[in-house]
Amino acid sequence: EVQLLESGGGAVHPGGSLRLSCAASGFTFSSYVMSWVRQAPGKGLEWVSVICASGGCSYYADSVKGRFTISRDNSKNRLYLQMNSLRAEDTAVYYCAKEGSSGIVENWGQGSLVTVSS
Amino acid sequence: SYVLIQPPSVSVAPGKTARITCGGDNTGSKSVHWYQQKPGQAPVLVIYYTTDRPSGIPERFSGSNSGNTATLTISRVEAGDEADYYCQVWDSSRDHRVFGGGTKLTVL
């Protein structure tokens, strides 16, 4: 059974940093593209970033480009999202996502809440 | 950047058919995926590649796509289908994923 378990969320002041982690199990992690998707309170889903299976390529939504960095450690079956220069509008539940082809999100984690507030 | 537009809400009586639309520039040329999200839960894939259903998703869920509009159709709607539904495509030109704004399905 595929399991994705996010951690590292919490409250942070504007301008601060936070690193999210996602522990993956139940599948061959190193073979899959992985993404982060977020959802602000009461709002819709917003794709944040994606990383290739090897870790050799990554892409970002315009709203986070230059502030967030996605990475992975295939030896530890872990996905990361380093978030810097956080803003109030980054407040959201962040989901770790396992992808299939054509950007299909086959599996979702339960989410980790990040709150940016002074 | 590519944009997908969904109606904020759709209401339907039990046993009837619900149709949720997803509009975008030449959406018909893209594969569209649909997700169901119930309150307090993570989304679940219900349709992929426009018309395919993952295992465990009832045949009542189906999809279509033509021109500038993709449609998720839920037949014989049940109370348990009440949820938010999101469409999604892969913007291959930028390797970005794009979600629609979501549609809240209310079962009357």
Side-chain angles (χ1 to χ4, degrees):
Chain A
E1 178 191 3
V2 172
Q3 290 198 351
L4 301 169
L5 185 61
E6 301 95 339
S7 60
V12 62
H13 293 306
S17 298
L18 213 55
R19 188 175 87 150
L20 300 181
S21 179
C22 172
S25 61
F27 64 102
T28 304
F29 180 73
S30 59
S31 296
Y32 286 87
V33 172
M34 299 292 294
S35 279
W36 289 98
V37 177
R38 69 183 181 183
Q39 186 170 35
K43 302 298 184 181
L45 302 173
E46 180 188 14
W47 172 75
V48 173
S49 182
V50 63
I51 187 167
C52 303
S54 67
C57 62
S58 58
Y59 301 91
Y60 299 89
D62 293 343
S63 58
V64 305
K65 194 170 185 179
R67 299 187 299 122
F68 289 14
T69 302
I70 191 172
S71 62
R72 64 192 298 162
D73 186 336
N74 286 344
S75 68
K76 295 182 178 179
N77 290 351
R78 281 192 176 262
L79 176 72
Y80 303 100
L81 185 67
Q82 177 67 43
M83 303 182 292
N84 298 331
S85 303
L86 283 162
R87 307 166 179 168
E89 54 265 37
D90 296 319
T91 294
V93 172
Y94 285 73
Y95 292 102
C96 170
K98 167 181 169 285
E99 289 198 5
S101 57
S102 299
I104 301 167
V105 178
E106 298 178 331
N107 302 92
W108 301 72
Q110 282 306 301
S112 181
L113 177 61
V114 172
T115 303
V116 184
S117 173
S118 54
Chain B
S1 59
Y2 196 78
V3 176
L4 293 171
I5 303 296
Q6 297 182 236
S9 62
V10 167
S11 298
V12 63
K16 300 299 186 182
T17 298
R19 293 179 179 85
I20 298 173
T21 60
C22 173
D25 182 32
N26 199 22
T27 305
S29 68
K30 299 181 181 295
S31 289
V32 181
H33 319 306
W34 291 90
Y35 303 89
Q36 175 194 69
Q37 186 181 35
K38 296 182 178 180
Q41 298 183 17
V44 172
L45 180 69
V46 293
I47 292 288
Y48 64 102
Y49 286 135
T50 302
T51 59
D52 293 346
R53 278 186 317 277
S55 60
I57 300 301
E59 291 183 6
R60 301 183 297 104
F61 287 79
S62 63
S64 62
N65 190 11
S66 179
N68 294 318
T69 303
T71 302
L72 173 68
T73 300
I74 308 173
S75 304
R76 303 181 299 283
V77 166
E78 303 174 355
D81 297 331
E82 190 163 278
D84 294 326
Y85 291 85
Y86 296 90
C87 60
Q88 182 229 335
V89 300
W90 173 45
D91 179 0
S92 58
S93 66
R94 305 176 71 193
D95 209 356
H96 284 197
R97 288 84 177 118
V98 180
F99 287 95
T103 298
K104 180 177 180 59
L105 176 67
T106 299
V107 181
L108 301 172

